[in-house]
């Protein structure tokens, strides 16, 4: 698209340069003559039998054959000059033409020199006004395109972009760019040829265009071009020169290029919406390999005799002097990475206790995996969230709301989008994680672990890179939650997540308050009980039954529930963005205690960013019989 803008800027520059080069000429000229002959270094005037009017920088007078247009041209030419004015073309009036028509040669008198300077100024002023009008139109077009691009909601898929930083070398792939430029101009001229009923030229342009398209194909580099590319470039260049001679019309070409720019912009917006939809769809799916792993483990678990389904060291589960972790997940492979990475970096593994909660579908698989792959000397326990009888709709507002007809309509129908782009904004509301109680269980930690004083909550899309025991000794200063803040100068503050047009939100919270991250949080369960955190959560969840305070997820209610009760941790404890941000500094990742793949590009999905995936895969044993049997590979 920027090729079009650059092309129009080049035309404007050529116009100004041509005016400057011919400012010593005394002959009248028109923009039409410039359009037809701008590749020449001189101007041509109708009525002089095609003779060129050349300025002589060393002489103050013109040679006799080059007289003023009023002397050399017939009367109808002067009439045409006046007619050109009505069409927006530059011209010289009769008075200006006749001023110097007293003799065969112009005498270099002070009066003539003064009139000549005035005429030069008028000509340059008119040309600049014309150029300025086009520049203003171009600026408006650019601003409109910029404004439209701001509202496009798209996932960051940097690794798929052919325009990423790796490909910004101006001298690379010049042949591909040349062929694409030729194809753009061929489309422009084909439209003009058809409108002027030049059907032979129109068909020839279409033929060459198809040949060039076949030669370019899907190539993004010169090396990928078909061997016929040089021949196609030459043939297309000759045809474009022919089309230019027959069809060149600056106004028509400009209009067509701008129409193509608008159309291309609309296509880009549509494709970005489709990309967002497809990335969200991929993010909520479970790869076949992980599904296979879960099914095989489940079958083998229920074939085990009951006495072999128990984990050792169960006496550690309620010991408040040990380091306890809460991990709620339905992904066996992801949970194994969290546990393995934590234990491999722990200084005293025997003091670490993992409390895993999953759903009934994955309960057998999660148990079987850790029975086959125990985490060294650490303690592990797996529970089924569906067996928490106290977690029912009479106690939990989310469960009660999910049973309502309006909530089912909102989550499961979502206006029945009929196209990919239309569905991109609704798909996120139908993500299963927003319906799963595994996602909301984080607000009930004291009820799940009533005898513990502190617990470290971990998401299943994180990797631990350092010993985490230091978190239990952090002074939370009377707060309940220890978390890394996520806001910069204006990003990830409360007004990003909450509806501050609602009086309940506006009256109780600061829109500029800093947000924080779920994924690695140290919770003081004693203070939790004292401040009745679960009760605060229930209050806000009840008020949001019609989704007027926030739309989805557990972070917005978390921000409300732990408002002014969150202690900021050092940012090196928790680095986020590996699931959406392709430009995180390598040293920042290497120095982090925990890295978090929050976003759509989870490390177990094919759309994961390649450069971040090894941090996750190094904690998976791909030669494990179950992993290998399900075709899971790096």
């Amino acid at each position: 698209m920027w090729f079009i803008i650059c092309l129009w800027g080049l035309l404007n520059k050529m116009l100004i340069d041509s005016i400057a080069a011919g400012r010593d000429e005394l002959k009248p000229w028109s923009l039409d003559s410039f359009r037809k002959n701008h590749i020449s270094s001189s101007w041509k005037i109708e009525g002089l039998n095609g003779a060129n009017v050349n300025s002589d920088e060393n002489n103050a007078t013109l040679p006799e054959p080059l007289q003023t247009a009023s002397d050399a041209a017939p009367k109808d030419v002067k009439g045409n000059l006046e007619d050109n004015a009505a069409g927006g073309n530059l011209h010289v009036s009769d008075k200006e033409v006749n001023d110097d028509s007293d003799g065969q040669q112009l005498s270099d008198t002070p009066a003539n020199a003064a009139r000549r300077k005035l005429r030069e100024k008028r000509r340059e002023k008119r040309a600049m006004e014309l150029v300025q009008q086009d520049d203003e139109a171009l600026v408006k077009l650019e601003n409109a395109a910029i404004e439209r691009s701001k509202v496009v909601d798209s996932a960051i898929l940097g690794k798929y972009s052919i325009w990423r930083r790796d490909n910004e070398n101006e001298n690379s792939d010049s042949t591909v760019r040349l062929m694409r430029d030729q194809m753009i101009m061929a489309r422009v001229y084909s439209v003009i040829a058809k409108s002027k009923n030049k059907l032979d030229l129109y068909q020839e342009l279409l033929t060459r265009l198809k040949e060039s398209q076949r030669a370019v194909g899907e190539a993004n580099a010169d090396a990928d071009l078909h061997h016929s590319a040089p021949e196609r470039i030459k043939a297309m260049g000759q045809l474009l020169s022919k089309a230019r001679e027959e069809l060149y019309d600056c106004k028509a070409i400009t209009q067509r290029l701008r129409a193509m720019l608008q159309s291309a912009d609309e296509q880009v917006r549509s494709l970005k919406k489709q990309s967002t939809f497809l990335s969200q769809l991929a993010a909520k799916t479970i790869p076949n390999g992980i599904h296979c792993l879960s099914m095989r483990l489940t079958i083998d678990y229920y074939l085990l005799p009951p006495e072999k389904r128990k984990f050792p060291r169960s006496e550690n589960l309620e010991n408040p002097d040990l380091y306890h972790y809460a991990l709620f997940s339905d992904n066996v492979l992801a949970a194994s990475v969290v546990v393995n990475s934590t234990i491999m970096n722990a200084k005293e593994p025997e003091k670490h206790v993992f409390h895993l909660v999953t759903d009934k579908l994955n309960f057998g698989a999660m148990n079987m995996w850790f029975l086959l792959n125990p985490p060294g000397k650490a303690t592990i326990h797996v529970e089924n969230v569906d067996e928490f009888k106290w977690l029912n709709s009479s106690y939990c507002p989310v469960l009660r709301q999910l049973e309502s007809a309006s909530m089912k309509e909102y989550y499961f129908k979502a206006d029945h989008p009929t196209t990919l782009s239309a569905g991109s904004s609704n798909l996120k509301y139908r993500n299963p994680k927003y319906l799963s109680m595994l996602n909301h269980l984080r607000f009930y930690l004291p009820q799940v672990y009533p005898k513990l004083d502190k617990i470290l909550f971990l998401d299943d899309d994180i990797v631990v890179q350092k010993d985490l025991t230091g978190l239990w000794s952090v002074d939370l200063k009377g707060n309940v939650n220890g978390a890394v803040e996520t806001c910069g100068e204006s990003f990830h503050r409360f007004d990003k997540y909450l509806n501050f047009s609602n009086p309940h939100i506006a009256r109780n919270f600061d829109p500029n308050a800093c947000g924080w991250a779920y994924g690695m949080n140290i919770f003081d369960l004693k203070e939790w009980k004292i401040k009745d955190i679960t009760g605060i959560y229930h209050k806000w969840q009840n008020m949001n039954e019609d989704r007027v305070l926030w739309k989805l997820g557990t972070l917005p209610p978390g921000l409300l529930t732990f408002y002014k009760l969150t202690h900021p941790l050092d940012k090196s404890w928790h680095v986020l963005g590996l699931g959406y941000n392709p430009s995180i500094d390598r040293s920042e990742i290497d120095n982090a205690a925990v890295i978090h793949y929050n976003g759509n590009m989870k490390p177990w999905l094919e759309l994961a960013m390649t450069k971040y995936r090894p941090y996750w895969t190094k904690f998976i044993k791909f030669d494990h019989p179950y992993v290998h049997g399900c075709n899971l590979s790096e």
Side-chain angles (χ1 to χ4, degrees):
M1 290 190 293
W2 294 113
F3 158 77
I4 299 170
I5 296 174
C6 294
L7 176 62
W8 185 236
L10 179 61
L11 290 173
N12 289 342
K13 183 177 184 302
M14 291 172 62
L15 176 59
I16 297 172
D17 292 342
S18 299
I19 293 170
R23 68 169 50 180
D24 290 332
E25 300 172 13
L26 298 180
K27 300 297 178 285
W29 55 278
S30 71
L31 189 57
D32 279 340
S33 63
F34 164 74
R35 289 168 173 160
K36 295 177 180 177
N37 303 283
H38 66 278
I39 58 174
S40 173
S41 60
S42 61
W43 298 97
K44 296 180 182 179
I45 299 181
E46 297 174 4
L48 292 181
N49 298 324
N52 292 339
V53 180
N54 297 312
S55 62
D56 189 343
E57 295 178 356
N58 300 319
N59 298 304
T61 62
L62 292 174
E64 186 172 350
L66 300 179
Q67 300 171 351
T68 60
S70 61
D71 294 331
K75 291 182 179 181
D76 58 87
V77 174
K78 288 197 288 182
N80 289 338
L81 292 174
E82 294 174 352
D83 292 339
N84 284 340
N89 298 320
L90 298 177
H91 72 284
V92 182
S93 66
D94 285 338
K95 186 177 185 306
E96 292 170 343
V97 173
N98 292 329
D99 280 343
D100 292 329
S101 60
D102 296 335
Q104 294 294 333
Q105 289 186 334
L106 298 174
S107 58
D108 194 17
T109 64
N112 286 342
R115 284 197 296 271
R116 186 163 62 251
K117 289 181 180 179
L118 287 174
R119 284 195 298 274
E120 291 171 0
K121 290 180 179 179
R122 284 197 295 270
R123 290 171 181 165
E124 189 168 348
K125 181 180 179 180
R126 289 170 185 153
M128 290 302 295
E129 287 175 352
L130 181 62
V131 172
Q132 184 178 3
Q133 291 175 0
D134 289 325
D135 286 343
E136 290 173 354
L138 185 61
V139 169
K140 289 180 180 178
L141 181 67
E142 292 174 358
N143 291 338
I146 291 171
E147 289 303 317
R148 284 195 302 275
S149 67
K150 289 180 180 178
V151 302
V152 175
D153 180 20
S154 62
I156 302 177
L157 299 174
K159 76 167 189 171
Y160 297 119
S161 174
I162 63 171
W163 304 114
R164 63 187 188 276
R165 192 173 300 277
D166 299 345
N167 295 322
E168 288 181 358
N169 185 353
E170 294 181 358
N171 297 320
S172 66
D173 307 326
S174 57
T175 305
V176 173
R177 291 201 299 272
L178 173 59
M179 293 191 72
R180 286 177 176 161
D181 292 348
Q182 285 185 329
M183 289 158 62
I184 290 173
M185 291 309 301
R187 291 189 184 98
V188 172
Y189 281 127
S190 67
V191 173
I192 298 175
K194 190 173 182 180
S195 66
K196 294 188 176 182
N197 204 31
K198 294 183 177 290
L199 300 182
D200 291 341
L201 183 56
Y202 169 72
Q203 290 297 334
E204 193 173 357
L205 284 164
L206 289 184
T207 301
R208 294 298 183 194
L209 183 57
K210 290 178 181 178
E211 291 174 351
S212 294
Q213 288 173 334
R214 285 195 293 268
V216 173
E218 298 295 328
N220 293 319
D222 289 353
D224 300 330
L225 287 172
H226 190 267
H227 62 81
S228 64
E231 180 183 345
R232 302 306 179 200
I233 291 175
K234 182 178 179 180
M236 180 65 86
Q238 293 173 347
L239 182 59
L240 289 176
S241 297
K242 176 183 176 182
R244 186 182 182 199
E245 290 294 327
E246 296 186 26
L247 303 172
Y248 190 85
D249 184 332
C250 187
K251 184 177 180 180
I253 288 178
T254 301
Q255 290 175 343
R256 185 59 191 168
L257 289 175
R258 287 180 176 172
M260 291 174 66
L261 176 61
Q262 295 281 359
S263 176
D265 183 63
E266 291 298 325
Q267 291 178 21
V268 168
R269 295 176 63 199
S270 176
L271 290 172
K272 284 184 176 181
K273 287 183 178 180
Q274 293 181 19
S275 173
T276 301
F277 176 88
L278 293 173
S279 64
Q280 289 174 347
L281 184 64
K284 74 172 192 174
T285 59
I286 298 295
N288 286 337
I290 296 179
H291 181 71
C292 163
L293 178 65
S294 180
M295 292 299 99
R296 290 192 176 189
L297 289 168
T298 298
I299 293 171
D300 289 351
Y301 175 76
Y302 288 108
L303 292 175
L304 287 176
E307 64 273 12
K308 292 186 177 181
R309 297 180 187 177
K310 296 180 180 179
F311 291 101
R313 294 181 286 276
S314 59
E315 67 277 4
N316 292 335
L317 295 178
E318 296 181 349
N319 185 349
D321 296 327
L322 300 178
Y323 304 113
H324 293 266
Y325 301 84
L327 174 60
F328 308 146
S329 174
D330 58 0
N331 187 325
V332 175
L333 199 63
S336 72
V337 170
V338 175
V339 175
N340 290 345
S341 62
T342 304
I343 294 304
M344 289 179 67
N345 289 285
K347 295 178 180 178
E348 298 176 290
E350 67 277 5
K351 293 185 178 181
H352 294 257
V353 181
F354 292 90
H355 301 267
L356 273 68
V357 181
T358 187
D359 54 25
K360 61 183 177 183
L361 183 63
N362 293 280
F363 177 72
M366 200 75 74
N367 275 282
M368 190 65 187
W369 177 264
F370 288 106
L371 286 170
L372 293 172
N373 306 280
K377 297 180 180 180
T379 303
I380 195 163
H381 183 227
V382 179
E383 294 181 273
N384 181 359
V385 68
D386 297 298
E387 293 181 358
F388 295 165
K389 302 304 180 183
W390 52 268
L391 197 63
N392 51 55
S393 58
S394 62
Y395 175 65
C396 178
V398 169
L399 285 175
R400 184 175 65 254
Q401 291 165 8
L402 288 176
E403 293 176 356
S404 68
S406 62
M407 187 67 78
K408 290 177 181 177
E409 174 78 18
Y410 180 72
Y411 276 107
F412 295 104
K413 292 187 179 179
D415 299 329
H416 294 289
T418 56
T419 63
L420 286 178
S421 58
S424 61
S425 62
N426 291 322
L427 183 66
K428 58 186 177 182
Y429 299 125
R430 301 198 299 277
N431 194 318
K433 74 176 184 178
Y434 299 124
L435 306 177
S436 172
M437 280 310 300
L438 286 176
N439 202 40
H440 294 271
L441 195 60
R442 64 192 68 191
F443 293 105
Y444 300 96
L445 289 172
Q447 287 86 341
V448 182
Y449 311 110
K451 295 187 179 181
L452 300 181
D453 295 334
K454 280 189 175 182
I455 196 164
L456 183 63
F457 173 80
L458 298 176
D459 269 342
D460 65 356
D461 56 351
I462 64 105
V463 172
V464 177
Q465 300 187 128
K466 294 183 180 180
D467 182 69
L468 300 181
T469 54
L471 288 168
W472 275 264
S473 60
V474 171
D475 182 7
L476 297 181
K477 299 180 180 179
N479 292 301
V480 180
N481 176 25
V484 169
E485 293 182 333
T486 56
C487 59
E489 294 180 0
S490 60
F491 302 106
H492 295 249
R493 297 186 183 273
F494 270 42
D495 59 354
K496 176 179 174 64
Y497 304 100
L498 303 171
N499 177 20
F500 274 87
S501 63
N502 185 282
H504 295 293
I505 298 295
R507 186 167 53 246
N508 291 284
F509 302 97
D510 178 6
N512 293 314
C514 192
W516 44 268
Y518 264 130
M520 190 213 69
N521 307 79
I522 185 73
F523 289 111
D524 187 328
L525 300 184
K526 285 185 176 180
E527 288 295 329
W528 184 304
K529 297 172 185 176
I530 293 172
K531 294 180 170 60
D532 189 22
I533 295 301
T534 302
I536 297 174
Y537 162 70
H538 282 175
K539 167 193 168 184
W540 288 110
Q541 192 68 53
N542 281 322
M543 293 175 65
N544 194 49
E545 185 163 358
D546 296 327
R547 301 173 303 281
V548 295
L549 306 185
W550 69 87
K551 287 292 184 185
L552 51 84
T554 53
L555 180 56
L559 296 177
L560 300 179
T561 301
F562 295 100
Y563 183 60
K564 294 186 177 180
L565 296 173
T566 299
H567 175 74
L569 300 176
D570 187 275
K571 292 185 181 299
S572 63
W573 280 110
H574 187 189
V575 170
L576 298 102
L578 278 74
Y580 70 88
N581 185 359
S583 57
I584 303 175
D585 188 81
R586 175 71 179 268
S587 62
E588 189 178 355
I589 296 175
D590 293 339
N591 294 328
V594 168
I595 55 175
H596 194 171
Y597 292 83
N598 58 313
N600 286 335
M601 301 180 192
K602 302 300 184 187
W604 53 84
L605 299 175
E606 289 187 6
L607 52 76
M609 281 182 266
T610 307
K611 65 179 180 178
Y612 297 149
R613 201 163 184 265
Y615 292 100
W616 188 80
T617 55
K618 70 179 180 181
F619 293 104
I620 298 176
K621 295 180 179 179
F622 288 99
D623 57 350
H624 190 283
Y626 282 87
V627 175
H628 181 72
C630 288
N631 297 319
L632 287 164
S633 61
E634 294 187 73

